[in-house]
Amino acid sequence: MAKYLEMPKLSDTMVEGTLARWVKKEGDKVAAGDVVAEIQTDKSLMEMPVFSDGILFKFYVQEGEAVPLGGVLAMLLEDGEEAPADLSAPARKAAPAKPEAAGGPKGAPARPARPGVKVDPNARVKASPLAKKIALERGVDLRGMEGTGPGGRIVRADVEHAPVGGSRASATPVIRPTIGPDDKKVPLTPMRTIIAERLLASKQQIPHFYLNIEVDAGPLLALRAQVNAAAEATGGAKYTVNDFILKAVASTSRQVPAANAAFDVDGIVQFASVNVAVAIAIEDGLVTPVIKDADKKTLLEISNAVKDLADRAKKMRLTPDEFAGGTITVSNLGAYGIDNFDAIINPPQAAILSIGAAKKKAVVNAKGELEVGDRMWVGMSCDHRVIDGAVGATYLATLKKLLENPALALI
């Protein structure tokens, strides 16, 4: 009996994938474990293996085409098996509704059926697959709804705030740009779409507040220069300023656990592990792979981990597990010459650190004398549901102490 290859879930936030490349051709024999395609998710380029021996008889998806989770990609026949009379792709099975998928807490009773609401699941509306799924479960008609996502796309937040059984005609209208004949419109990639939706949801659903503190970067720069000079003499690894910052953030998060946390529907989760997510710019957008148990790692281990993650991120070769489980994020724009900035929180985390450039400026020393010093601004964006001002201030004060006495962070 013919088997079908379906779009798998390759990341925690994935709702659709783009077939980047067929590795095999129609008619090729394959064995279980063979890679047959490369899938572009919202975060990385992933290899898709086949789980049965057979022949790739027919492809249903062309390279570059986006496919929702569970969508049929290809037909697989056993060796010697005849193809079925009907070669069309089977309809994708709808996943059973789950209470938490509809926005309720885990363990909550399922929502009762909504009689009288007839929604065409195949209606051609501009909405994310997740928004369509939630709309079907809640009985929300998406037709005529104005979305708040990129290009007027309907996203999850729009559906969750829409009246049951009707469109959200009163939603905030999307202001569209005027496009001239010489303007260029770049299509949204799966990654850019997810980034837009998640950041929009973050600003809409998380009450941000911002703290900033100035740090004397002189001791950190001096220690780095000393360590790198020794490394150069012995052929050892060299360290970046960001390596020291990540080490200090990991130590601070262990010392101030109230900031290494997240908001849940029925409480605040304080994480036992410190998993530092690192914002890395790539051609298609921004990714945040995670250094697991960063507070238990040495400076060298953190440095090696960041280099490896950054290299593979730019090649789109990170695995879903390497994006999962972050408890706090660091975004460093100092290398781009940015003095200070306020970052948007990476949900479901409760805080993100924004690191500016270390620059020379006129400062007043302890003797009241004017001199040239190295100063660096560090910002902290906090979820006010989790982190109060005093907790955020304590976190930054602790981080400042470690950055100005970097040897303490290495203990």
Side-chain angles (χ1 to χ4, degrees):
M1 181 177 178
K3 298 178 182 177
Y4 297 91
L5 304 183
E6 298 179 347
M7 178 63 71
K9 186 176 180 66
L10 297 172
S11 80
D12 55 337
T13 57
M14 179 179 171
V15 292
E16 67 180 13
T18 298
L19 179 71
R21 182 172 74 94
W22 282 111
V23 176
K24 301 290 186 179
K25 304 186 299 295
E26 282 188 349
D28 281 356
K29 276 190 174 184
V30 292
D34 286 352
V35 174
V36 296
E38 291 181 343
I39 305 297
Q40 174 70 62
T41 73
D42 55 307
K43 292 179 175 177
S44 62
L45 188 67
M46 307 290 296
E47 294 180 338
M48 189 185 82
V50 66
F51 296 103
S52 302
D53 297 348
I55 297 172
L56 285 172
F57 183 76
K58 181 176 178 59
F59 292 162
Y60 294 106
V61 177
Q62 302 300 314
E63 293 181 353
E65 187 175 344
V67 182
L69 293 183
V72 176
L73 303 176
M75 178 190 291
L76 183 70
L77 299 179
E78 294 182 0
D79 195 7
E81 179 184 3
E82 289 189 9
D86 183 4
L87 295 179
S88 59
R92 187 163 60 99
K93 296 178 181 179
K98 298 180 181 179
E100 58 268 27
K106 294 180 180 179
R111 285 185 172 85
R114 311 280 190 178
V117 178
K118 296 181 179 179
V119 180
D120 178 8
N122 298 315
R124 299 183 64 83
V125 294
K126 193 173 183 180
S128 71
L130 180 59
K132 290 180 180 178
K133 178 177 180 293
I134 296 174
L136 184 61
E137 292 169 351
R138 292 191 170 192
V140 175
D141 189 347
L142 300 181
R143 292 167 295 185
M145 180 185 291
E146 287 286 342
T148 59
R153 194 180 198 216
I154 299 169
V155 296
R156 175 178 182 169
D158 298 319
V159 181
E160 290 178 338
H161 292 95
V164 173
S167 66
R168 188 183 172 197
S170 60
T172 304
V174 177
I175 302 174
R176 304 291 297 275
T178 300
I179 302 175
D182 298 325
D183 297 332
K184 179 182 178 181
K185 189 171 186 178
V186 180
L188 290 172
T189 62
M191 178 182 291
R192 177 54 62 185
T193 299
I194 293 296
I195 289 173
E197 292 183 358
R198 285 176 64 84
L199 293 184
L200 178 64
S202 178
K203 288 294 286 184
Q204 286 182 331
Q205 299 170 13
I206 297 177
H208 287 57
F209 78 94
Y210 309 96
L211 300 172
N212 289 273
I213 197 167
E214 190 178 48
V215 173
D216 179 0
L220 188 156
L221 297 177
L223 180 60
R224 173 178 176 259
Q226 182 181 1
V227 170
N228 282 349
E232 187 173 358
T234 60
K238 289 190 175 182
Y239 300 93
T240 66
V241 171
N242 200 48
D243 294 336
F244 286 89
I245 290 170
L246 292 172
K247 177 62 177 172
V249 167
S251 298
T252 303
S253 299
R254 184 184 65 243
Q255 295 180 43
V256 189
N260 189 56
F263 184 83
D264 202 0
V265 292
D266 55 357
I268 294 172
V269 178
Q270 289 191 2
F271 298 109
S273 301
V274 176
N275 302 328
V276 179
V278 185
I280 297 174
I282 61 175
E283 184 178 353
D284 212 21
L286 189 74
V287 294
T288 53
V290 177
I291 302 174
K292 303 289 178 64
D293 295 316
D295 59 317
K296 300 176 183 176
K297 286 181 166 55
T298 64
L299 180 66
L300 178 60
E301 288 172 332
I302 287 177
S303 179
N304 288 339
V306 172
K307 289 182 177 69
D308 175 59
L309 291 172
D311 179 64
R312 289 189 293 114
K314 290 170 184 175
K315 296 175 182 176
M316 303 297 287
R317 292 296 181 186
L318 294 173
T319 65
D321 182 63
E322 290 171 312
F323 290 103
T327 60
I328 192 165
T329 297
V330 175
S331 179
N332 189 340
L333 292 180
Y336 296 90
I338 300 300
D339 292 342
N340 59 78
F341 66 103
D342 295 316
I344 298 176
I345 293 170
N346 182 20
Q349 300 164 27
I352 182 170
L353 281 303
S354 48
I355 312 298
K359 292 189 175 182
K360 293 190 178 296
K361 60 181 293 188
V363 298
V364 179
N365 62 23
K367 298 179 181 179
E369 300 167 339
L370 194 64
E371 64 179 17
V372 176
D374 295 289
R375 295 293 184 269
M376 176 175 68
W377 281 99
V378 176
M380 184 177 186
S381 305
C382 305
D383 182 345
H384 216 326
R385 299 171 302 175
V386 179
I387 300 174
D388 293 328
V391 172
T394 299
Y395 187 98
L396 281 186
T398 305
L399 180 59
K400 174 183 170 74
K401 180 180 179 181
L402 292 181
L403 292 175
E404 293 182 344
N405 302 273
L408 295 177
L410 304 182
I411 299 174

